[in-house]
Amino acid sequence: MPPVDGYTERRRTVASGLAGRKLDAMLIAFSPNLRYLTGFTGSNGSLLLLPDDAILFTDPRYQIQARQEVNCRVRIAKGALLLDVAAAIGKLRLRRIGYEPSRMTCDFFNSLTARLPLKTSLEAVSGWIEELRMIKSPPEQQLIRRSVETNSRAFDQAVARARAGMKEQDLAAELEYRMRRLGAEKPAFETIVAAGARSALPHAQPTRARMEAGGLVVVDMGAMQDGYCSDMTRMLFLGTPPAKVKRTYRAVLEAQLAAIDTVRPGVSTAQVDRQARRVLKSYGLDRAFVHSTGHGLGLEIHEPPRIGKRDKSRLKAGMTVTIEPGVYLEGFGGIRIEDTVVVTETGCEILTPTSKELREI
Ligand code: ZN
Ligand code: ZN
């Protein structure tokens, strides 16, 4: 696993923000944040980040792995991690410790609090590491680009075998198999293959239903490669598409291109979303667009910023986001087109290399 350089630098960035938040330390246990700050990929770990030190607590299953992946201090706990974390906090005489409220279970919080000295308090700190993660460094952008390329290649290889009569599940299995063969660790999320009227379900799971001639198929897939996600949606049509399909497809494609066109540093994410809705409205399809226009992605498939109606964030260079308007018409089907793009200094670059033509099979 080629680690992204700069874990020490990332930890320093967090460490230098402790004083401003009146914290003696920050406790991080959410695994994408742990990976971001240390490179650790295990499922059980807690990082105690101090102004000039960092200790990763994990269990004996990760003894070898942690030492290979991590360049800060590692403590292997014999029992529950929180006992060792609490003991270290006591020994270091830490008073105010930041923690991630949306990422810590009530159980862990209560057990830890019960074991801390009376004068020590846990302070909720929300979204700090996630905010740092929004801007991708050049090596991270490179990893996302590779994940996107693997994903698109897997799509091409699997779709070459798609035909009428094939089960949704079988196409999904083929897509995931190809993805792994091409270097992905796993799919970044459950692959969506939905045929015919089922394509109108934005989050359909593949079933034993067969893809029938004269029907639409939505394929929404993403790879996770070296920890980084990709995300793409493309549409297939089994046969020659009728006028209504062509017109609806054109509307969604126009909306997607218009939204991508607005992506540049300083633009609000709500503005990008509005652009997609404006185009769909001109086709009388805005009510059929039932989700937001996109989301950030990186170590997680969904991470900030969100690109929706009510979002307040502004785009910055280095963010990687999806642009994925869609329309969903009951009884007819759904059409969504999704690319992964990176915000550059002057606009954006579409990373997804796959053609956006409606693919006829
Ligand atoms: Zn997707
Ligand atoms: Zn997406």
Side-chain angles (χ1 to χ4, degrees):
M1 174 129 346
V4 177
D5 279 337
Y7 295 119
T8 312
E9 195 187 318
R10 290 174 187 169
R11 288 197 297 272
R12 266 189 212 136
T13 303
V14 177
S16 67
L18 289 172
R21 289 175 166 80
K22 296 192 168 56
L23 297 172
D24 297 325
M26 181 75 199
L27 184 63
I28 290 141
F30 180 51
S31 103
N33 289 347
L34 266 186
R35 184 168 184 157
Y36 180 75
L37 292 170
T38 67
F40 182 60
T41 63
S43 63
N44 185 31
S46 283
L47 179 72
L48 188 63
L49 192 62
L50 303 145
D52 41 24
D53 198 5
I55 312 166
L56 175 75
F57 298 84
T58 184
D59 67 64
R61 293 174 300 165
Y62 296 114
Q63 184 155 9
I64 301 171
Q65 185 182 325
R67 297 223 158 87
Q68 286 170 347
E69 291 177 338
V70 174
N71 65 358
C72 67
R73 285 209 279 156
V74 174
R75 293 251 183 97
I76 306 296
K78 296 220 169 60
L81 295 196
L82 75 93
L83 299 178
D84 286 41
V85 172
I89 290 171
K91 207 170 149 199
L92 293 162
R93 299 179 196 282
L94 305 173
R95 288 288 158 85
R96 286 172 56 91
I97 310 194
Y99 76 100
E100 306 172 287
S102 61
R103 312 302 194 176
M104 189 182 278
T105 63
C106 291
D107 238 17
F108 193 96
F109 179 86
N110 291 334
S111 307
L112 183 58
T113 308
R115 285 170 176 80
L116 293 179
L118 275 179
K119 284 187 179 160
T120 300
S121 64
L122 291 176
E123 306 293 332
V125 178
S126 291
W128 182 12
I129 314 302
E130 285 80 353
E131 198 184 312
L132 299 173
R133 281 172 42 205
M134 277 203 286
I135 311 294
K136 273 71 183 178
S137 65
E140 285 185 293
Q141 289 180 31
Q142 196 52 33
L143 290 174
I144 293 169
R145 190 182 293 271
R146 277 175 42 197
S147 176
V148 165
E149 282 163 6
T150 293
N151 195 45
S152 284
R153 252 187 275 148
F155 173 83
D156 285 340
Q157 291 182 3
V159 165
R161 304 165 75 95
R163 64 200 178 280
M166 193 174 188
K167 287 182 204 142
E168 293 173 352
Q169 278 177 340
D170 289 342
L171 180 55
E174 189 69 31
L175 290 162
E176 293 182 4
Y177 169 73
R178 294 283 158 192
M179 194 185 280
R180 284 178 189 263
R181 285 298 302 262
L182 290 162
E185 288 103 65
K186 58 181 180 183
F189 56 91
E190 286 186 44
T191 304
I192 296 171
V193 176
R198 296 192 69 257
S199 59
L201 311 172
H203 266 184
Q205 285 189 322
T207 64
R208 282 186 290 274
R210 291 178 190 277
M211 311 189 308
E212 279 171 28
L216 278 165
V217 181
V218 60
V219 175
D220 188 350
M221 62 188 293
M224 180 178 274
Q225 186 163 332
D226 296 321
Y228 283 84
C229 300
S230 46
D231 194 0
M232 167 176 88
T233 308
R234 288 294 183 266
M235 301 299 308
L236 316 176
F237 195 86
L238 298 152
T240 307
K244 185 176 177 184
V245 169
K246 280 190 181 164
R247 180 179 182 276
T248 314
Y249 192 86
R250 196 164 59 238
V252 176
L253 182 56
E254 237 177 75
Q256 205 243 8
L257 294 172
I260 289 177
D261 219 40
T262 60
V263 173
R264 63 179 175 279
V267 167
S268 75
T269 53
Q271 164 72 13
V272 178
D273 183 84
R274 255 199 312 279
Q275 201 61 349
R277 278 173 219 284
R278 185 187 56 77
V279 173
L280 290 174
K281 190 165 188 186
S282 71
Y283 283 87
L285 288 167
D286 50 317
R287 292 225 183 105
F289 179 21
V290 295
H291 52 75
S292 54
T293 294
H295 53 88
L297 81 174
L299 288 166
E300 287 178 278
I301 184 62
H302 292 123
E303 54 179 58
R306 237 173 71 100
I307 301 181
K309 257 185 221 170
R310 279 175 278 278
D311 291 297
K312 306 267 186 287
S313 7
R314 288 192 179 272
L315 295 173
K316 288 184 187 150
M319 287 180 171
T320 46
V321 296
T322 68
I323 303 291
E324 52 176 308
V327 301
Y328 308 91
L329 302 166
E330 201 175 345
F332 166 77
I335 292 176
R336 176 168 69 252
I337 304 169
E338 175 181 29
D339 286 329
T340 299
V341 310
V342 57
V343 184
T344 61
E345 295 295 338
T346 52
C348 75
E349 183 191 350
I350 302 174
L351 298 181
T352 313
T354 309
S355 156
K356 278 193 275 223
E357 293 291 301
L358 174 58
R359 194 170 298 213
E360 296 172 24
I361 287 166

